[in-house]
């Protein structure tokens, strides 16, 4: 991970990468939305994220939802840009330690939001068995995020987003392998353009890098695996946690797992970071801002689900991949090809078909 600074040695061929054009997979503390609590979010918390609101004069529900969705887009795309700037242009080439900082800030922010601001009711860990289950999820989660942040040094964000859009394919595969759950023929058929699109995009990517592609696939598979495993091991009503409580418990565990790895792989990273901070306070604020936006991604994920639905979040996620890719190309000028864009479009189209097929399949099962 430390060896691949800037995304390649030389970067002169089509299959190698340009260190000033490499983008990041979004650093998202990837917590799939769990069924939200029936208790409403307190108006005092809403007033914190919507400053002009007050307990006596909250904005209309439609305006609140629009502001939350806008915040969701800004935080998701913002964390991509900040990660890219830090790890490539600025030269802070320590993605594992950066991820550890993200986890520490997410732990602190989520604890404050739940314990002091009353975002959602506090849910306690009820047994050692539940604690071990959360630790297992944290391990999968940590590996997925590290792979995603490693890939940012090798492939542009436009391609990274195309690879990330294949999550439904891996979810279907792991669901079948782990739970033997079979989907309808139409659901599996909808996955074909998802795979076909990424094959076309990979073959046409000017800055394709094999290692970056593989670790990005690993990150995508890890997110899907975590989603499936979470649905299996946190099934009882006593053990279910909403996404914000789950983040509060998982983030410190993930940080504890990642810190020894960062110290070993990125030797001297703590001392280097302290020295850089002494000479450049801008880096301190950059790291704090980066970690804060990473938490806001998870907060807005939760709020979008709370004010709309998990399906809306899924639709927004599909659109976000395309928006993020376009923004990254406009800002960082990484080269793209017509075939590459076509492949990305086919993948997104396949994801939309998959979502619709899943919805129809669930509806038919419910009515039968």
């Amino acid at each position: 991970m430390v060896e691949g600074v800037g995304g390649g040695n030389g970067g002169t061929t089509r299959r190698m990468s340009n260190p000033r054009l490499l983008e990041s997979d979004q650093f998202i503390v990837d917590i799939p939305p769990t069924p939200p609590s029936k208790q409403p979010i307190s108006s005092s918390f809403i007033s914190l994220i919507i400053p002009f609101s007050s307990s006596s004069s909250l904005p209309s529900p439609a305006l609140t939802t629009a502001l939350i969705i806008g915040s969701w887009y800004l935080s998701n795309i913002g964390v991509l840009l900040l990660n890219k700037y830090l790890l490539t242009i600025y030269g802070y080439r320590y993605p594992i330690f950066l991820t550890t900082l993200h986890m520490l800030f997410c732990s602190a922010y989520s604890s404050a939001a739940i314990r002091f601001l009353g975002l959602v009711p506090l849910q306690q860990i009820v047994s050692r068995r539940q604690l071990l289950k959360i630790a297992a999820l944290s391990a999968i989660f940590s590996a997925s995020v590290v792979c995603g942040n490693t890939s940012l040094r090798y492939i542009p964000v436009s391609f990274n987003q195309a690879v990330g859009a294949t999550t439904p394919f891996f979810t279907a595969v792991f669901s079948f392998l782990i739970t033997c759950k079979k989907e309808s023929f139409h659901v599996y058929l909808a996955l074909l353009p998802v795979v076909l699109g990424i094959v076309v995009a990979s073959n046409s990517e000017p800055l394709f890098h094999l290692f970056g592609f593989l670790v990005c696939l690993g990150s995508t598979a890890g997110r899907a695996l975590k989603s499936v495993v979470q649905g299996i091991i946190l099934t009882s009503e006593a053990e279910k946690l909403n996404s914000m409580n789950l983040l509060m418990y998982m983030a410190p565990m993930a940080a504890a797992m990642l810190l020894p790895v960062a110290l070993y792989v990125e030797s001297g990273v703590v001392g280097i970071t302290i020295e850089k901070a002494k000479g450049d306070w801008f880096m301190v604020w950059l790291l704090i801002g980066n970690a804060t936006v990473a938490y806001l991604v998870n907060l807005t994920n939760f709020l979008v689900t709370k004010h709309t639905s998990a399906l809306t979040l899924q639709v927004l996620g599909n659109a976000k991949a395309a928006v993020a890719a376009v923004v990254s190309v406009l800002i960082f000028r990484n080269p793209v090809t017509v075939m590459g864009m076509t492949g990305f479009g086919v993948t997104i189209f396949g994801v939309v078909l998959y979502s619709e097929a899943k919805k129809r399949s669930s509806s038919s099962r419910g009515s039968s």
Side-chain angles (χ1 to χ4, degrees):
M1 195 165 178
V2 175
E3 302 298 325
V5 174
N9 300 324
T12 57
T13 68
R14 174 183 179 276
R15 296 272 169 181
M16 297 300 286
S17 53
N18 187 325
R20 293 192 61 84
L21 295 175
L22 298 180
E23 317 302 339
S24 162
D25 188 16
Q26 60 184 10
F27 173 81
I28 296 179
V29 183
D30 186 31
I31 309 291
T34 54
S37 167
K38 294 182 180 179
Q39 299 188 31
I41 299 174
S42 66
S43 59
S44 62
F45 184 82
I46 291 292
S47 67
L48 287 175
I49 61 173
I50 305 175
F52 55 79
S53 67
S54 66
S55 58
S56 61
S57 179
L58 286 172
S60 67
L63 179 58
T64 299
T65 301
L67 289 172
I68 289 172
I69 290 175
S71 300
W72 182 87
Y73 269 105
L74 287 175
S75 59
N76 274 270
I77 296 176
V79 80
L80 282 168
L81 302 181
L82 285 172
N83 279 345
K84 183 271 176 187
Y85 181 79
L86 264 170
L87 292 163
T88 57
I89 295 177
Y90 187 81
Y92 188 80
R93 307 183 189 282
Y94 307 103
I96 304 178
F97 188 69
L98 181 63
T99 304
T100 306
L101 292 177
H102 287 171
M103 298 300 178
L104 291 173
F105 274 79
C106 283
S107 176
Y109 284 138
S110 57
S111 294
I114 294 173
R115 297 180 187 274
F116 301 109
L117 300 178
L119 170 62
V120 293
L122 174 64
Q123 295 174 289
Q124 301 286 354
I125 294 178
V126 297
S127 65
R128 182 180 179 184
R129 180 183 178 186
Q130 185 187 18
L131 180 64
L132 292 175
K133 289 179 178 181
I134 295 174
L137 287 175
S138 299
I140 300 172
F141 169 54
S142 300
S144 172
V145 174
V146 166
C147 285
N149 281 341
T150 301
S151 71
L152 63 86
R153 287 165 32 189
Y154 298 91
I155 57 178
V157 71
S158 53
F159 184 45
N160 197 290
Q161 292 293 290
V163 176
T166 62
T167 301
F169 169 77
F170 289 102
T171 301
V173 170
F174 286 128
S175 293
F176 178 76
L177 293 177
I178 297 175
T179 67
C180 297
K181 178 183 177 182
K182 294 183 179 180
E183 301 289 353
S184 67
F185 172 76
H186 293 93
V187 171
Y188 288 124
L189 187 64
L191 290 173
L192 289 180
V194 174
V195 178
L196 175 63
I198 200 61
V199 170
V200 173
S202 300
N203 190 57
S204 307
E205 173 55 48
L207 300 179
F208 181 88
H209 191 286
L210 180 59
F211 178 72
F213 172 67
L214 291 176
V215 291
C216 192
L217 274 182
S219 175
T220 305
R223 288 197 298 270
L225 177 62
K226 178 186 170 296
S227 179
V228 173
V229 171
Q230 180 176 328
I232 297 172
I233 68 178
L234 295 179
T235 53
S236 71
E237 288 299 322
E239 292 182 341
K240 283 184 179 179
L241 300 171
N242 62 52
S243 60
M244 298 312 295
N245 274 275
L246 185 58
L247 174 62
M248 182 180 67
Y249 291 121
M250 285 183 57
M253 294 183 186
M257 295 174 187
L258 289 174
L259 183 58
V261 178
L263 295 177
Y264 178 76
V265 176
E266 299 169 342
S267 180
V269 63
V270 175
I272 293 172
T273 301
I274 293 174
E275 286 302 313
K276 282 179 175 286
K278 289 179 179 179
D280 186 3
W281 275 96
F282 175 68
M283 189 194 77
V284 177
W285 293 112
L286 196 58
L287 290 174
I288 293 174
N290 185 233
T292 300
V293 176
Y295 170 72
L296 291 177
V297 170
N298 295 276
L299 175 60
T300 53
N301 279 349
F302 173 78
L303 292 175
V304 167
T305 305
K306 192 80 174 180
H307 284 260
T308 56
S309 66
L311 179 61
T312 299
L313 183 64
Q314 187 177 33
V315 173
L316 290 173
N318 296 337
K320 185 271 301 177
V323 173
V326 171
V327 170
S328 70
V329 171
L330 291 176
I331 292 179
F332 304 117
R333 306 292 181 180
N334 56 284
V336 294
T337 64
V338 173
M339 285 301 294
M341 291 187 292
T342 301
F344 191 6
V346 170
T347 295
I348 295 297
F349 177 68
V351 172
V352 173
L353 288 180
Y354 171 82
S355 301
E356 189 63 26
K358 281 280 290 183
K359 185 170 64 174
R360 292 184 178 182
S361 177
S362 300
S363 298
S364 62
R365 287 178 183 176
S367 60
S368 61

